[in-house]
Amino acid sequence: MTMALSPSSSESPAGASRGKTLAAAAIRLGALATFAVIMAYFALTARGFATPFNIVNVIEQSAILGILAFGMSVVIIGGGSEVQTGGIDLSLAANAGLCAAVFATATNAGMPAPVAIAATLGTGMLVGAVNGFAVVGLGILPLLATLASMNIVAGIELTLTENTVLSTSSPLLTVLSSGRFLGISALAWVLIAASVIVGLVIHRTPVGLRLYAVGGHPEAARAAGLNVGLHVWGTYVFAGLCAGLAAILIVSRLSASTPGTGELLLSILAAALLGTVFSRRFVPTVGGTVLSVIFIGFLANGFQLLHLSSYWVSGVQGALILLVVAVTSYARPQEH
């Protein structure tokens, strides 16, 4: 009887592995199918949703979220996607708000555009460097370190702006807000360029491969001679750079620095985490992040065209985060 059960027991792991692989593939295909169904529903029910003008408009509006989502995705790649201890930067949206205030203040002070840009990007990267030091140097969990940083940065922004709108204008902002090339706005071109550059770096250079190694298997990466701490620290600095770039786009779109940028955090998290579902290994990819950003943009646009409250968008984004975390937590061990 033992001999009869022996083949069955040897086949069981292989059969389970195949079943788990199929389940993981079904999750990815289900996510793509859901995306297509929602887009089709809006196209049929929301007037003007599928027009070329509206599609281009959504892409333009998604530029800011896309830049910030790239920063979050890189932090997750380098720090690992485990929810409690993995890489995350909760201060990213607040950092963008502070950088926007710095850019508006510098521009209103008459500083040349290159100086204002340098000050803005430098501010974002400084906040990122502090986050990286807290995580790598002090060993604080990223969730807690960036949560504290978020509140500190938000307080600095309110002190700098006195909780008021800082209106500003400059030739650079005019080009970014109203400039067009080949019928596509400057904001959309920024998103396209950033997607190409970040995609090439993350997926086609040794830097990106090392980040995936550090985030996925830190002990193995350390054994291979990689400086894990330096790579993780670098992801937070990059996220700060993204915050500074997004801040310039925010000011160009609104012609001002406004309080409340921190409200973007939910959308940033949703875009970065949802992007993992569209990847083969349930880790962030640039393509998956872009697809998620566009999806969130169309979701908000469709609700707006259907005259539904914007609060529903936040509710859906929160539900997506919970669903993605649950699904990837279940599926990721299945692929190992």
Side-chain angles (χ1 to χ4, degrees):
M1 185 170 183
T2 303
M3 293 177 62
L5 289 175
S6 179
S8 173
S9 61
S10 64
E11 293 175 2
S12 178
S17 177
R18 285 194 297 269
K20 293 171 182 178
T21 300
L22 290 175
I27 291 172
R28 292 189 292 271
L29 291 176
L32 291 171
T34 301
F35 178 86
V37 168
I38 292 176
M39 294 301 99
Y41 173 77
F42 282 140
L44 293 174
T45 59
R47 184 177 180 181
F49 179 81
T51 62
F53 173 81
N54 187 64
I55 293 173
V56 172
N57 181 56
V58 171
I59 295 175
E60 294 173 356
Q61 293 177 344
S62 301
I64 295 169
L65 175 59
I67 300 298
L68 292 170
F70 287 152
M72 183 69 76
S73 295
V74 169
V75 169
I76 295 175
I77 290 172
S81 52
E82 209 286 320
V83 177
Q84 294 181 341
T85 61
I88 194 169
D89 186 356
L90 297 181
S91 71
L92 193 53
N95 191 2
L98 174 60
C99 290
V102 169
F103 184 73
T105 301
T107 301
N108 289 339
M111 294 184 183
V115 176
I117 293 173
T120 303
L121 299 182
T123 299
M125 295 173 70
L126 177 60
V127 173
V130 172
N131 285 335
F133 174 74
V135 172
V136 176
L138 302 180
I140 303 175
L141 287 176
L143 194 69
L144 298 178
T146 58
L147 178 63
S149 177
M150 176 185 71
N151 287 279
I152 295 171
V153 169
I156 296 174
E157 179 197 358
L158 293 177
T159 301
L160 180 62
T161 63
E162 297 182 352
N163 200 23
T164 60
V165 175
L166 297 180
S167 299
T168 188
S169 62
S170 72
L172 172 64
L173 296 177
T174 301
V175 171
L176 289 175
S177 62
S178 58
R180 306 187 75 83
F181 179 69
L182 299 178
I184 301 176
S185 73
L187 286 177
W189 279 116
V190 171
L191 177 60
I192 294 170
S195 301
V196 172
I197 294 172
V198 177
L200 289 175
V201 172
I202 294 299
H203 301 297
R204 292 291 184 269
T205 69
V207 174
L209 295 177
R210 290 167 186 161
L211 285 179
Y212 276 113
V214 167
H217 305 283
E219 294 303 323
R222 190 175 287 108
L226 295 181
N227 190 329
V228 173
L230 181 62
H231 282 79
V232 172
W233 179 81
T235 63
Y236 286 97
V237 176
F238 175 78
L241 176 65
C242 289
L245 178 58
I248 297 173
L249 301 184
I250 291 171
V251 176
S252 70
R253 187 167 182 83
L254 302 176
S255 297
S257 164
T258 62
T261 307
E263 296 177 1
L264 287 172
L265 179 59
L266 184 63
S267 298
I268 297 169
L269 285 172
L273 293 175
L274 184 59
T276 64
V277 177
F278 296 115
S279 70
R280 185 175 62 86
R281 294 179 297 152
F282 293 102
V283 293
T285 62
V286 174
T289 300
V290 171
L291 189 58
S292 300
V293 166
I294 298 300
F295 171 69
I296 291 174
F298 276 120
L299 190 68
N301 178 257
F303 278 23
Q304 183 180 17
L305 292 177
L306 291 175
H307 305 290
L308 297 175
S309 172
S310 60
Y311 295 121
W312 280 101
V313 178
S314 297
V316 171
Q317 289 176 353
L320 284 174
I321 291 174
L322 288 175
L323 180 62
V324 168
V325 170
V327 167
T328 54
S329 296
Y330 165 78
R332 202 172 280 118
Q334 295 175 342
E335 294 193 328
H336 289 329

